[in-house]
Amino acid sequence: EAQVTQNPRYLITVTGKKLTVTCSQNMNHEYMSWYRQDPGLGLRQIYYSMNVEVTDKGDVPEGYKVSRKEKRNFPLILESPSPNQTSLYFCASSLNRGSAQYFGAGTRLSVL
Amino acid sequence: GENVEQHPSTLSVQEGDSAVIKCTYSDSASNYFPWYKQELGKGPQLIIDIRSNVGEKKDQRIAVTLNKTAKHFSLHITETQPEDSAVYFCAASRGGSYIPTFGRGTSLIVHP
């Protein structure tokens, strides 16, 4: 089954404690991205990757890091989480730019 | 950059009625317009998309129309059913961009 898998689904942490949210896709897609979803603001892109070892900033990259060492994986790293990063996060992948995106089920993060 | 406005933010209809959600965009170079449906606790899922060289596209009870001159596009759902209840997002992106811009979402409620 074609899918995008995120882990964990729920995460509660404290300010400053580094965390990683994993994302994996099994569709051999070139393009992967991370979004955050906040009430009333819709989906905002954090980072995206066009291929292995190629990443770039989206609209709201501050406080986040990403890496793309393998085509299927695109982890999101919060080196020093802060309460304003409490949000619902989605990973997505697509065959290429300008095509439909497939989203994971989401990771709900709370930073205390 | 691109700006996408989506209306209404909430739409309540009776089962069997039609529902229309409208989006306007600002970048005349945008040429790909997908619509996503997000059910509670899940990630957004593509339901229909349209490219700028097409004015209308249908898929069973769902249709999307695009007016390039006015820079707006709409989602039409006919014969609504309770399972259509969800949050719907529109998005716009230009051909060379990896950063789609999403609308803020419409919560559709279909009453049985």
Side-chain angles (χ1 to χ4, degrees), chain B residues 27-87:
Chain B
D27 188 349
S28 57
S30 289
N31 60 2
Y32 177 61
F33 308 93
W35 285 90
Y36 293 88
K37 175 184 181 182
Q38 185 178 20
E39 297 176 333
L40 200 60
K42 297 184 179 181
Q45 182 176 16
L46 180 78
I47 54 172
I48 196 167
D49 56 8
I50 192 167
R51 297 192 183 272
S52 58
N53 57 348
V54 176
E56 183 176 3
K57 185 176 179 180
K58 286 184 179 179
D59 183 3
Q60 300 181 346
R61 297 185 297 109
I62 293 172
V64 57
T65 58
L66 172 65
N67 183 325
K68 287 171 54 181
T69 303
K71 289 190 282 188
H72 68 70
F73 56 111
S74 300
L75 177 70
H76 305 253
I77 306 174
T78 59
E79 300 172 22
T80 54
Q81 301 166 4
E83 51 265 39
D84 293 330
S85 296
V87 177

Side-chain angles (χ1 to χ4, degrees), chain A residues 22-76:
Chain A
T22 63
C23 175
S24 180
Q25 52 94 3
N26 63 359
M27 295 168 279
N28 200 36
H29 283 169
E30 302 279 332
Y31 171 63
M32 297 185 74
S33 61
W34 277 100
Y35 294 87
R36 60 178 289 173
Q37 184 177 29
D38 301 291
L41 295 179
L43 290 155
R44 294 179 293 168
Q45 194 175 62
I46 302 170
Y47 267 95
Y48 62 93
S49 169
M50 298 79 85
N51 213 324
V52 175
E53 301 292 1
V54 184
T55 64
D56 206 348
K57 297 177 181 179
D59 292 325
V60 288
E62 294 77 20
Y64 304 95
K65 285 176 58 178
V66 293
S67 69
R68 187 96 180 268
K69 294 185 178 1
E70 304 167 284
K71 195 172 187 178
R72 62 181 291 125
N73 296 324
F74 189 45
L76 178 69

